[in-house]
Every structure is written in C-alpha cells, then in structure tokens.
Amino acid sequence: MKKQMFYLAAICLMMASCADTADVRDAKGGYRFKTTGKVTLQMPDESNPKATISQIVNLNNETGSFELVSLKDNDKVLLTFDQLNGDVYHTKGTLSGDELSFDAFTRTLDLPITTEYSDTLHIPYLNHLGQSKLRDSIITYTKTETEVFDITVTGNAKTYENNIVFSLNYKGQSQEDKQRTIEGTDIQMLCKKN
C-alpha cells in the first residue's frame, strides 16, 4: 500500500511539472529585485489655488525578493513582490516565449517630496553718511517629507536567461491630499534569479 501511494505521489508530481510550458518551467523561481526611476508629481500651487505645479521626483531605489510561481493553467503565473522593509503585493500574469505580461495591480509608494521655501529678512544697517537703512536678504531653505501614495502599476516584462526586466508605469494619488497625483512611465525593475 505504501509503495502504491509513493508511486501515485510521484506520478502526480511528474504530471504537475509537465503541465508547465518550457518558458514557465525555465523562468519560475525566486529572484532578487531592484527598482529605479522617476515620477512626475502634480500638486496645487499654494500661492495660486487655480494653478498646479509639476515636480520631477526620483524614486528611492526599492529592493526585495520576487517569486514567479506557475499556476494550474499552462502559461499562467503568479508574481509576488516582497519589498525589503515594505509591503508584499502580487498579481497574475502570462508567460509566452520571453514576454511576461501581467494584470494591473495596486500598491502603496513612499515618495520623498522636497519643498523649497524662501523668506525675506529686512536687515537694518548704517550707510556711509550714518543714516539708518534696510537691506533685504532672501533666505532659501528646503524641507523633505515622505508622503504615501496609492498607485496602480501597469507595464510588461521580458525574460533574459536568469533575469527578468520589467518596464513599469505608475499612476496614483496621495493618501493625505487627493489633489497631489503622480505619474511615471519609465520605471525599471531588474530581477536576478537566486
């Protein structure tokens, strides 16, 4: 009886592994990833509420692990991203040849936003005739804060031997101020197989 159960389990495993297409079988597994790129931030102009300001923001490099797992349908796969010190998010996709397409998914993005402020100081001084005058001095300073955005991720990917290169698009809005939106169309994620 034990031998029959062993053979049945072995046959099931063989059938499950044969169900994968060659492309899925070669690509599935664990990877490390790194994401780089920039987005355009649109936000209201504080000095003119009817106007908006655009600002290019470089993304913090995200790193983590990525897992590509085959599903029961021949070329269907599950993509799971686990950010180092961050969220875990997933989506389903299809692998055909070296093309990996995936369903749009939502996630959060921590974005460092730098705001520049300036202030004018009126400094009194005495001129060469001994008269009291004022001199204007402009002081500029910056402040960087991290803001959390809810974003939708779309794009595509290609497999290259033990690597997968994603070309991603981000679109979303701030959790704090819905008038602050971001969009990025050239974000790269490189995944290297473990």
Side-chain angles (χ1 to χ4, degrees), residues 153-166:
V153 180
T154 58
N156 55 55
K158 283 192 174 232
T159 61
Y160 301 95
E161 296 181 7
N162 290 328
N163 299 299
I164 301 176
V165 179
F166 286 82

Side-chain angles (χ1 to χ4, degrees), residues 60-173:
N60 287 333
N61 292 339
E62 295 178 331
T63 58
S65 61
F66 165 67
E67 189 78 23
L68 186 67
V69 178
S70 62
L71 298 175
K72 292 181 182 177
D73 301 333
N74 289 337
D75 55 353
K76 295 287 184 188
V77 289
L78 177 68
L79 295 80
T80 304
F81 304 88
D82 184 1
Q83 289 178 307
L84 186 65
N85 300 324
D87 292 337
V88 176
Y89 45 94
H90 67 277
T91 187
K92 292 181 181 176
T94 305
L95 186 60
S96 177
D98 64 350
E99 299 285 332
L100 174 60
S101 58
F102 56 90
D103 299 336
F105 61 94
T106 57
R107 55 164 286 203
T108 59
L109 175 70
D110 295 343
L111 194 66
I113 298 174
T114 302
T115 308
E116 189 173 278
Y117 298 92
S118 60
D119 201 1
T120 304
L121 296 177
H122 306 291
I123 302 171
Y125 72 98
L126 295 175
N127 68 8
H128 65 285
L129 299 174
Q131 298 169 328
S132 179
K133 297 282 186 177
L134 290 177
R135 177 180 3 182
D136 290 343
S137 181
I138 298 174
I139 297 175
T140 303
Y141 58 97
T142 59
K143 178 173 74 170
T144 301
E145 295 179 325
T146 300
E147 196 164 335
V148 180
F149 286 75
D150 292 318
I151 62 169
T152 299
V153 180
T154 58
N156 55 55
K158 283 192 174 232
T159 61
Y160 301 95
E161 296 181 7
N162 290 328
N163 299 299
I164 301 176
V165 179
F166 286 82
S167 294
L168 303 174
N169 304 311
Y170 289 178
K171 188 170 187 165
Q173 63 184 12

